[in-house]
Amino acid sequence: MPHTDVPLQQAYGQEQHGTKPLSREEYLQRIEGTKQRIGQLTSDIQSIATIHQRMLSSPDNRSSSELESVVTQTQIRNTQIKDEIKFLEKDAARDPNNSFKKNQVNTLKNTFKKQLEDFQAEEADYSKRYREAIGRQYRIINPEATDAEVNEAANADWGEEGIFTQAVSISYP
């Protein structure tokens, strides 16, 4: 059966056929479309991880702009997927004797939840690695620093310049 993507306004419930549940074929088309968007979300998360790694290695404005763009796209996709799952849940509720629809949407919800957890884990991992890198850099600049000073520096906002550039500009006005 060839897959035809359902138009977004229809996929997100703006064109529901009254209170009549979707046919099995229509429901499966929407499930497949949502699975594709979740697959794109996986790709987005991998792109974010790659950009994060590049930013840790050698931060630049291009990477920051690219990251912002991918994160925005990912947030939009998250919202679309969430809306689609809500729509599919409502449709399944219109047909309470159809366990097939409930099982399909529950599987989809679990897959989406896993992707959200992966996204959150990547963000947390990057934040931790960034703070660790700043802590190491601060120790290089200020070897006598206490652990409290290093922690404070690791949690400070160093902006686009980074800790080394700011240290040089402070040393040489």
Side-chain angles (χ1 to χ4, degrees), residues 27-28 31 35 99-108:
Y27 197 82
L28 284 174
I31 290 284
K35 283 180 183 178
S99 62
F100 170 79
K101 286 183 175 182
K102 287 182 185 128
N103 290 338
Q104 289 288 317
V105 77
N106 283 335
T107 299
L108 199 61

Side-chain angles (χ1 to χ4, degrees), residues 61-118:
N61 289 340
R62 188 179 64 83
S63 292
S64 295
S65 298
E66 185 179 357
L67 179 64
E68 188 176 320
S69 173
V70 174
V71 167
T72 299
Q73 176 77 25
T74 302
Q75 290 169 336
I76 291 168
R77 195 176 323 280
N78 280 344
T79 301
Q80 291 172 338
I81 294 168
K82 207 180 318 177
D83 290 347
E84 177 66 7
I85 289 173
K86 284 180 189 174
F87 173 82
L88 291 167
E89 284 179 314
K90 287 178 184 176
D91 187 76
R94 282 189 200 76
D95 199 358
N97 297 326
N98 190 340
S99 62
F100 170 79
K101 286 183 175 182
K102 287 182 185 128
N103 290 338
Q104 289 288 317
V105 77
N106 283 335
T107 299
L108 199 61
K109 279 174 64 173
N110 290 334
T111 303
F112 181 53
K113 181 180 176 187
K114 170 77 173 87
Q115 289 303 312
L116 289 178
E117 289 168 355
D118 288 351

